[in-house]
Amino acid sequence: MEIGIGLPGHVTGVEERTVVTWARRAEERGFASLIASDRLAWSTPEPLITLAAAAGATERIRLVTSVLLAPLHTNPALFAKATATLDRIAGAGRLHLGLAPGAREDDYRASHLDFRTRGRALDTLVERVTAIWRGQGEQEVGPAPVTPGGPPLWFGGASQATLRRIAAHGTGWIAGTGGDIDEFTTFATRLHSHWKQAGRQGRPRTRATAMFALGGHAQQSLARAVNDYYAFAGPDYVRTVIDTAATTAEAIHATVTAHEAAGLDELVFVGNDTDPEQIDLLADILGDTLTSPNSTTRTPDRSQ
């Protein structure tokens, strides 16, 4: 199982230069992926621009949106162009696009878009964008992505529609924050079944995210970030996220062990403190679990 790290973009007051510092440090310490989250009606930095900055500051680490609110991008040709450009800047195989409809209605109100039709909008976007990437669009839109067929697509959510999207277009599934291992394994089993029924070769890949904060102010940083960001979901969900977050070395190791035993391909620890020292604290705990800083990213096998 690989280990990635998530930018603390949801933390109120995060500075944009934090992105470059975190990206460089995460690559130096051997993390497999750097993850950028997405919200419109929040202070979260825009994820595609964020990852473009990270791409320019790094050479190896994968760059992942987890998850991009794709239905907010209402021009498929422009979205195809933007993501293909980012794919070329990053280099083949580095950019992975995690997509989802999103659960926050205020993101859609801010866009003057219909929240109720976001699932259908996502399906339409994916169909058109993948066709453009492969040169099958009604009109030529460039540049072409450097990754054959376009960046790998991952889908978030736990619905029947998520299963359908992954089986039709995806490389894998990104599990949400705060879910337990039983929920993960149940959905992963269903995913493997849908994958085979769709005639896909290989197997679907899986990623999951886990909140973390370390050091003397870990509990305070975690509580402040989570209470602010997840207030919309209610106190029970906020408490679940806080209770399942890792704030000690023992909790980090337990989280890794549990997810690895469940068959996860990559676990992403999402920061809740903007201090870059968080990267070193986490890396020191993980030790040899991390990939070699000198390893290189390969172009993904599109059959998987």
Side-chain angles (χ1 to χ4, degrees):
M1 184 179 73
E2 293 183 306
I3 306 292
I5 192 164
L7 292 164
H10 63 289
V11 178
T12 303
V14 63
E15 296 181 359
E16 282 67 20
R17 290 299 301 175
T18 299
V19 170
V20 172
T21 303
W22 271 63
R24 287 175 175 157
R25 188 82 59 88
E27 180 166 271
E28 290 168 0
R29 294 307 305 262
F31 287 93
S33 299
L34 183 74
I35 312 298
S37 61
D38 190 17
R39 280 290 316 284
L40 183 62
W42 192 255
S43 59
T44 313
E46 200 286 320
L48 296 180
I49 294 175
T50 295
L51 293 183
T58 58
E59 296 180 356
R60 174 198 60 82
I61 196 167
R62 278 193 303 264
L63 308 169
V64 185
T65 59
S66 178
V67 284
L68 188 72
L69 302 180
L72 301 185
H73 297 264
T74 57
N75 184 329
L78 182 57
F79 183 72
K81 187 180 188 74
T83 49
T85 300
L86 178 53
D87 184 60
R88 296 179 71 88
I89 291 171
R94 289 184 69 196
L95 176 63
H96 287 205
L97 292 176
L99 311 176
R104 290 288 301 263
E105 191 167 357
D106 54 353
D107 289 323
Y108 286 82
R109 284 199 302 269
S111 304
H112 300 283
L113 296 174
D114 189 349
F115 180 71
R116 297 166 299 177
T117 61
R118 67 196 189 284
R120 187 160 62 250
L122 173 56
D123 292 335
T124 300
L125 180 77
V126 169
E127 291 282 354
R128 293 180 180 175
V129 167
T130 53
I132 291 170
W133 284 340
R134 294 164 186 165
Q136 301 167 349
E138 296 177 3
Q139 187 171 352
E140 182 178 349
V141 175
V146 68
T147 302
L153 299 181
W154 298 65
F155 292 93
S159 65
Q160 187 70 23
T162 301
L163 292 170
R164 172 177 52 77
R165 290 175 187 127
I166 297 171
H169 300 286
T171 291
W173 173 50
I174 300 179
T177 300
D180 61 31
I181 296 298
D182 289 340
E183 291 174 345
F184 168 81
T185 54
T186 297
F187 191 83
T189 299
R190 294 174 61 199
L191 175 57
H192 280 79
S193 176
H194 275 71
W195 185 273
K196 290 181 179 178
Q197 290 174 12
R200 297 288 299 273
Q201 300 299 309
R203 65 181 180 86
R205 315 296 285 181
T206 52
R207 276 192 179 103
T209 57
M211 292 292 196
F212 89 97
L214 296 166
H217 302 288
Q219 291 292 346
Q220 299 95 311
S221 297
L222 177 68
R224 182 170 57 251
V226 171
N227 273 294
D228 286 349
Y229 191 67
Y230 287 112
F232 79 97
D236 290 343
Y237 185 77
V238 168
R239 176 49 51 190
T240 296
V241 173
I242 291 175
D243 289 346
T244 57
T247 57
T248 65
E250 293 76 15
I252 294 290
H253 287 304
T255 302
V256 169
T257 299
H259 284 85
E260 191 165 29
L264 186 72
D265 291 299
E266 183 176 3
L267 175 62
V268 178
F269 284 100
V270 179
N272 286 267
D273 184 330
T274 61
D275 189 342
E277 185 186 7
Q278 292 288 303
I279 303 168
D280 292 323
L281 292 172
L282 180 59
D284 289 344
I285 292 170
L286 292 168
D288 293 340
T289 305
L290 296 177
T291 58
S292 167
N294 296 319
S295 64
T296 56
T297 299
R298 296 177 298 173
T299 300
D301 181 350
R302 301 298 297 187
S303 68
Q304 297 183 353

